[in-house]
């Protein structure tokens, strides 16, 4: 009789541990997905900033070249 109670207790503990482990695995994958999404947003933001910087550099270079041409034409 006592052996059955002990075995049942042990089985319940193992089931509880397996349930907790599966919940932890689910939470771990959920956190990884959230982190992955945030990294995706950082990449998109970085690309947009790079494009803005590239266009601003091109704009500055073209305005400087136009000013130099205008000053050469005036002289």
């Amino acid at each position: 009789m006592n052996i059955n109670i002990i075995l049942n207790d042990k089985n319940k503990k193992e089931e509880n541990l397996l349930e907790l482990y599966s919940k932890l695995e689910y939470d771990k994958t959920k956190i990884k997905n959230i982190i992955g999404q945030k990294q995706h947003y950082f990449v998109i933001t970085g690309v947009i900033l790079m494009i803005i910087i590239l266009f601003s550099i091109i704009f500055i270079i073209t305005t400087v070249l136009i000013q130099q041409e205008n000053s050469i034409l005036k002289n």
Side-chain angles (χ1 to χ4, degrees):
M1 187 86 175
N2 286 340
I3 294 172
N4 285 338
I5 294 173
I6 291 172
L7 287 177
N8 284 339
D9 245 6
K10 187 176 180 183
N11 287 339
K12 284 182 185 177
K13 286 180 184 177
E14 286 177 0
E15 288 175 8
N16 287 342
L17 284 175
L18 285 174
E19 187 177 330
L20 283 174
Y21 181 75
S22 64
K23 285 181 183 178
L24 282 174
E25 284 296 316
Y26 175 74
D27 289 344
K28 194 163 85 173
T29 53
K30 197 173 176 182
I31 289 171
K32 281 183 182 179
N33 288 339
I34 291 171
I35 290 172
Q37 287 175 349
K38 289 193 179 200
Q39 286 176 346
H40 187 71
Y41 291 136
F42 284 135
V43 169
I44 291 173
T45 307
V47 168
I48 291 172
L49 286 174
M50 295 275 268
I51 291 171
I52 291 171
I53 291 170
L54 179 70
F55 279 119
S56 63
I57 290 172
I58 291 172
F59 178 74
I60 290 169
I61 290 173
T62 53
T63 52
V64 167
L65 289 176
I66 290 172
Q67 286 177 354
Q68 284 180 350
E69 283 184 27
N70 286 342
S71 65
I72 290 172
L73 290 174
K74 284 181 183 178
N75 291 335

